[in-house]
Amino acid sequence: MTSIRMVSSVLLLVLMQSGALCARRFRGGRNPQPRRPPPPPTYRADRGDTTESFPLDFTAVEENMDNFMTQVKNLAQSLYPCSAQRLDHDMKLNLLENTSVTCNDGSPAGYYLKESRGSRRWLIFLEGGWYCFNKENCDNRYDTMRTLMSSSNWPQTKTGTGILSPLPEENPHWWNANMVYIPYCSSDVWSGATFYSVLCVGGYAFMGSLIIQEVVKELLNKGLDSAKVLLLAGSSAGGTGVLLNVDHVAELLEGQGHTGIQVRGLSDSGWFLDNKQYHSTDCLDAVSCAPTETIKRGIKYWGGVVPERCRQTHEGQEWNCFFGYRVFPSIKSPVFVVQWLFDEAQLTVDNIQLTGQPVQESQWRYIQNLGIELRNTLKDVPAMFAPACLSHEVITRNYWTDIQVKGTSLPRALYCWDRSLNDNRNNKAPPKGCPVHLIDSCPWPHCNPTCPTIRNQFTGQEIDGVQFLKHMGFDVQKMAQQQGMDPSKLLGMLSSGS
């Protein structure tokens, strides 16, 4: 309690000082605009930057964190109008100094960085974007999605959203972290270790795993060396990349002597199943091909590497390590899994199309079984958030704070997980009323009322959960009969998300 009062006092002093600065800036009855616009703020790359900052370590406060974070959030929001003109929220592009670590086409890989001076928490995000697994579909990918294979046209800045946002109202618990966004340009689910210079056939480099390691090495010279927590996060292929690389990152830092950095993982929409497709098609690309077949081909083409413990378990069949429920038991680092129970990407590779005509009964059964299978693979994951929604990716969406499972939002669940890990390290009992294992029990897509909005692809109008289920061919009468209840009661339960 003493530590909270102490830090709160410091925050109050900061607020008073900033309030005085604002008051001096706008005091008087004249037009507050200066006669001449002030020069734009300058930012220096060196760590001796004299830009005003307040080096507060928010990770040091562990007791009554809810109350403390509320105070911090209110303080940040009250300071924001005063300092908005001086803050630069965008992450800035840095191409890797080691130019031998490249994108598919040999252009330098890189990352976007927004430093938060005084914070000892770092968040490194891995972008997603499918993959390619032979020269033909890699050539097609290069023609149609070049920014996922080359850095030649990357913008100089990127604005963070969701868990990458610097705004506390959008990102209540990670807004003050140092933010790093690594663009996906290796097309290998962040697993490759094949250099561009040694390729004799195909003309592409696959260096996803090496890109992550090289970024981490560079960040050690930009403040990561003094970090307390490093959260490796990612969505879709980036989410799978987290599962494949989080232990590699922990081992890299430990090998460089940075044993005090707590490495954790956050995998969003990367927990794919190696299940049988609804119906088989020719294996032409990553979308039409069965997941197991694409990974079997890809891991050879990429020279892919997987976690050592998983490799030993599945020796000769290392492709198994690309599927969450198979690799997870071998991961040593703490990992939080976020997964929609009815993931659009999973349904796409399973050849289930949810557009146009209502789905057939056999498709409906397949979709329900998919939700059941996912629940079964997640039941032994200690920290997870699995809403019964039809969607894909969430942690970088600006609505990520709105999604709830059993009354708990995703940011709240992540905070509870963060706190439980700190309590475990300090031999304290886990906090009450702070759940970290959250999975919907309702059996249909979008039976959770907080699911993201679905729009009719032809009219653009929003569709609520019941309308969506009817559009998909959901037979209310038949389903009510199977459940032994009145149809109107079933509709009421669906509408409320029960």
Side-chain angles (χ1 to χ4, degrees):
M1 196 66 185
T2 304
S3 60
I4 292 180
R5 288 172 180 163
M6 224 166 65
V7 178
S8 298
S9 299
V10 175
L11 292 172
L12 182 59
L13 287 172
V14 172
L15 177 59
M16 292 171 63
Q17 180 188 24
S18 300
L21 288 172
C22 286
R24 285 198 299 271
R25 189 177 305 163
F26 298 113
R27 186 179 292 130
R30 296 181 181 179
N31 188 330
Q33 296 296 324
R35 293 178 183 176
R36 288 189 299 176
T42 58
Y43 300 91
R44 295 208 304 267
D46 62 282
R47 295 177 62 184
D49 195 329
T50 56
T51 302
E52 183 181 8
S53 64
F54 307 102
L56 300 176
D57 180 8
F58 298 110
T59 59
V61 182
E62 297 172 355
E63 300 293 336
N64 296 321
M65 183 61 79
D66 284 339
N67 179 52
F68 175 68
M69 286 308 299
T70 299
Q71 293 182 51
V72 172
K73 179 178 176 180
N74 292 339
L75 171 63
Q77 289 173 329
S78 56
L79 288 177
Y80 177 70
C82 173
S83 58
Q85 291 182 342
R86 294 175 57 240
L87 293 178
D88 187 351
H89 289 321
D90 285 342
M91 298 176 281
K92 292 180 173 57
L93 177 63
N94 296 260
L95 296 177
L96 288 178
E97 295 174 5
N98 182 354
T99 56
S100 67
V101 178
T102 70
C103 298
N104 289 130
D105 68 345
S107 59
Y111 58 96
Y112 291 86
L113 169 65
K114 187 190 80 66
E115 295 179 72
S116 180
R117 300 188 184 280
S119 173
R120 298 178 67 187
R121 298 206 297 172
W122 287 72
L123 193 158
I124 299 179
F125 180 83
L126 308 180
E127 185 185 26
W130 293 97
Y131 49 87
C132 58
F133 56 86
N134 61 34
K135 186 176 188 307
E136 184 179 359
N137 58 55
C138 283
D139 285 345
N140 182 65
R141 179 180 173 91
Y142 192 72
D143 290 339
T144 58
M145 296 183 285
R146 188 161 301 185
T147 56
L148 292 175
M149 299 183 74
S150 173
S151 64
S152 56
N153 290 316
W154 286 353
Q156 291 300 306
T157 61
K158 182 174 287 289
T159 301
T161 55
I163 199 170
L164 294 172
S165 171
L167 304 178
E169 60 269 28
E170 185 175 343
N171 186 14
H173 301 301
W174 279 89
W175 61 273
N176 190 50
N178 296 276
M179 301 296 186
V180 182
Y181 183 104
I182 311 182
Y184 183 40
C185 67
S186 57
S187 308
D188 56 4
V189 199
W190 297 97
S191 72
T194 302
F195 282 83
Y196 186 80
S197 59
V198 302
L199 291 177
C200 55
V201 178
Y204 294 112
F206 298 99
M207 306 184 69
S209 180
L210 299 179
I211 290 171
I212 296 171
Q213 293 181 47
E214 199 62 34
V215 169
V216 171
K217 290 176 185 176
E218 280 201 16
L219 292 175
L220 287 172
N221 296 320
K222 298 186 177 183
L224 180 61
D225 58 328
S226 62
K228 278 193 172 181
V229 175
L230 167 57
L231 181 64
L232 182 67
S235 294
S236 193
T240 307
V242 169
L243 301 175
L244 293 174
N245 287 281
V246 64
D247 278 350
H248 287 160
V249 170
E251 291 161 5
L252 170 64
L253 291 172
E254 185 176 349
Q256 302 235 349
H258 302 288
T259 56
I261 302 176
Q262 303 167 40
V263 178
R264 303 166 184 174
L266 171 58
S267 174
D268 167 30
S269 303
W271 189 275
F272 292 100
L273 299 181
D274 53 348
N275 55 339
K276 185 178 179 181
Q277 291 176 297
Y278 174 69
H279 66 84
S280 300
T281 57
D282 293 336
C283 186
L284 301 176
D285 53 37
V287 175
S288 63
C289 204
T292 51
E293 187 59 33
T294 56
I295 296 300
K296 285 179 183 178
R297 298 184 188 190
I299 194 171
K300 293 179 181 178
Y301 189 55
W302 309 323
V305 294
V306 299
E308 180 59 23
R309 293 175 65 190
C310 188
R311 188 196 66 77
Q312 293 175 1
T313 302
H314 299 284
E315 192 166 1
Q317 295 183 318
E318 288 83 359
W319 57 267
N320 282 287
C321 299
F322 284 76
F323 297 96
Y325 74 101
R326 296 188 185 276
V327 68
F328 187 82
S330 69
I331 298 174
K332 294 183 290 185
S333 304
V335 174
F336 192 105
V337 175
V338 180
Q339 186 64 44
W340 304 109
L341 290 180
F342 304 95
D343 188 275
E344 288 178 317
Q346 179 75 57
L347 289 169
T348 297
V349 297
D350 288 342
N351 288 321
I352 291 286
Q353 304 299 325
L354 297 179
T355 56
Q357 297 298 317
V359 299
Q360 302 170 4
E361 185 174 349
S362 58
Q363 292 175 310
W364 179 248
R365 286 198 304 269
Y366 186 96
I367 293 168
Q368 284 187 284
N369 287 333
L370 173 65
I372 294 171
E373 287 182 48
L374 264 169
R375 282 190 190 90
N376 289 336
T377 65
L378 291 167
K379 63 184 179 182
D380 294 326
V381 177
M384 44 82 68
F385 187 89
C389 304
L390 175 72
S391 194
H392 185 61
E393 303 186 1
V394 64
I395 62 174
T396 57
R397 309 299 191 198
N398 55 16
Y399 56 75
W400 81 299
T401 58
D402 301 330
I403 313 300
Q404 296 186 5
V405 174
K406 299 178 180 177
T408 299
S409 69
L410 177 52
R412 168 72 178 173
L414 287 171
Y415 156 69
C416 290
W417 176 59
D418 191 49
R419 180 173 172 182
S420 69
L421 293 174
N422 289 333
D423 288 344
N424 288 340
R425 289 174 63 88
N426 296 316
N427 297 316
K428 296 180 181 179
K432 295 181 180 179
C434 213
V436 297
H437 184 90
L438 292 156
I439 184 166
D440 267 333
S441 55
C442 58
W444 304 292
H446 260 61
C447 55
N448 179 329
T450 69
C451 287
T453 300
I454 295 178
R455 294 185 180 275
N456 185 303
Q457 64 170 337
F458 301 111
T459 66
Q461 293 181 327
E462 292 186 7
I463 305 175
D464 64 29
V466 175
Q467 290 173 325
F468 170 70
L469 290 174
K470 288 181 176 179
H471 171 75
M472 288 179 62
F474 180 83
D475 190 329
V476 177
Q477 296 287 341
K478 184 175 181 179
M479 192 60 66
Q481 186 178 11
Q482 290 178 357
Q483 300 294 325
M485 64 176 63
D486 183 81
S488 60
K489 182 179 179 182
L490 176 59
L491 280 175
M493 291 175 64
L494 290 173
S495 299
S496 64
S498 302

